[in-house]
Amino acid sequence: MAGVSIGSLYQYFPSKEALVAAVIDRHTQEISEVTRKALVKAAALPIEAAAREFVSVAIDGHRVNPKLHGVLAEQIPHVGRLQNIEALEQEGYALVRAYLEAHRDEIDVADLDLAAFVLVTVVEALTHAAVLRRPDILSDEKADRFVDDVTRLLVRYLGAS
Amino acid sequence: MAGVSIGSLYQYFPSKEALVAAVIDRHTQEISEVTRKALVKAAALPIEAAAREFVSVAIDGHRVNPKLHGVLAEQIPHVGRLQNIEALEQEGYALVRAYLEAHRDEIDVADLDLAAFVLVTVVEALTHAAVLRRPDILSDEKADRFVDDVTRLLVRYLGAS
DNA sequence: TACAATTATGAGCGATCGCTTGTATTTTGT
DNA sequence: ACAAAATACAAGCGATCGCTCATAATTGTA
């Protein structure tokens, strides 16, 4: 009926959960590809440029497949925080943490762990909400303003204003 | 078995959805009670104090019933963004927007709508994540630092540094 | 073409879902 | 004390769920 029959599906995936996991894996990997290079590149940039790159890449990541991303963001907690997502998250977290350490003397925050948490959470939440709930904010004529705003938010938070 | 039987349940609620809606309504109202006074009070405060109040009240709101809040945050998208939640969100958004307008001359952001979106999204995301996923950040000895950090984030973002 | 191996199919299985309904129990009114 | 009204209860209904398996269609080999 819808391209493949139930039976065929279960020849390739042992369970529905496995199927969903595979979909998530693919999506995660697509995001990884878009993301990783940019983040590594950002690691070598000064704070303002790195922040901007971080924001841009987060937007791009969320734009890979917004509809699927939205559905997954709803469903994943039920599946139980899939390992690959967790891993991607941890990787991003570690990169940010490492960046902060490398720029310790230019940064004015007391607790780098807390700062990493704040940065990752803020950028993820803002880009996620913008892409999925306020697409107007990312329209061609407004997107730059959004990136500018969030970049400034990050830079000033780090005390590098 | 669990306090009330299925039959009794369906004497008071026409459907499961209605039951869930009632639970959400109660939770929303509890948060409203905790929140509204503080937000109105914050409206009369200078930026730094208002920001701090905003952050504190967001934490308190998320602490009302963290476990329930977590479950609801997962389930609500499916129920279809219940009206009361939507209303509470809009109210918070409007309050922030009004505050920003009232303090227009002390604030250095280009777009007040965008700023309101950023502020609400950031505080909601940070407190939500902190309460539900990083409770260590809100331990007695660390909570103040978190509030300080986020307050500073908001204040600096608004250009009132 | 004939046969074997592989892959696709969907009717239908048991389990679980939201929900109804007949009965048992409690509360109320007299 | 008794009947009537209101409330509590859980067995079980149909519908749907994830999934299996006997069969059909396709592909590979000779």
Side-chain angles (χ1 to χ4, degrees), chain B residues 9-82:
Chain B
L9 223 51
Y10 277 91
Q11 272 184 348
Y12 296 98
F13 303 96
S15 69
K16 192 197 178 184
E17 189 180 335
L19 196 164
V20 173
V23 171
I24 291 174
D25 274 10
R26 188 147 62 89
H27 182 61
T28 303
Q29 204 169 339
E30 281 169 9
I31 289 180
S32 287
E33 278 165 25
V34 170
T35 298
R36 188 168 285 109
K37 288 175 210 159
L39 280 186
V40 170
K41 190 176 83 187
L45 297 176
I47 292 177
E48 158 114 29
R52 185 172 300 272
E53 189 66 29
F54 186 33
V55 175
S56 300
V57 96
I59 295 174
D60 291 345
H62 279 277
R63 273 179 165 163
V64 164
N65 197 337
K67 217 170 153 187
L68 174 62
H69 189 87
V71 174
L72 293 182
E74 286 178 9
Q75 301 289 357
I76 284 173
H78 309 293
V79 178
R81 295 228 135 259
L82 239 27

Side-chain angles (χ1 to χ4, degrees), chain A residues 74-75 77-78 81 86 89 93 108-111 113-115 117-118 121-122 125-126 129-130 133-134 137 142 145-146 149-150 152-153 156-161, chain B residues 74-75 77-78 81 86 89 93 108-111 113-115 117-118 121-122 125-126 129-130 133-134 137 142 145-146 149-150 152-153 156-161:
Chain A
E74 286 177 9
Q75 302 289 357
H78 310 294
R81 294 227 137 262
E86 192 89 33
E89 231 168 58
Y93 197 98
D108 175 33
V109 289
D111 182 336
D113 260 324
L114 179 57
F117 166 77
V118 169
T121 304
V122 160
L126 283 173
R133 295 177 56 185
R134 293 288 306 271
I137 287 175
K142 283 198 199 161
R145 172 177 284 171
F146 177 71
D149 238 50
V150 180
R152 210 187 54 173
L153 174 79
R156 292 193 178 180
Y157 166 65
L158 292 173
S161 61
Chain B
E74 286 178 9
Q75 301 289 357
H78 309 293
R81 295 228 135 259
E86 193 89 32
E89 231 168 57
Y93 197 98
D108 175 33
V109 289
D111 182 338
D113 259 324
L114 178 58
F117 166 77
V118 169
T121 304
V122 160
L126 283 173
R133 296 177 55 186
R134 292 289 305 272
I137 287 177
K142 282 198 199 160
R145 173 176 283 172
F146 177 71
D149 240 48
V150 180
R152 210 188 54 172
L153 174 79
R156 291 192 179 180
Y157 166 65
L158 291 173
S161 59

Side-chain angles (χ1 to χ4, degrees), chain B residues 28 82-93:
Chain B
T28 303
L82 239 27
Q83 47 193 356
N84 292 42
I85 301 261
E86 193 89 32
L88 186 65
E89 231 168 57
Q90 289 298 339
E91 190 186 336
Y93 197 98

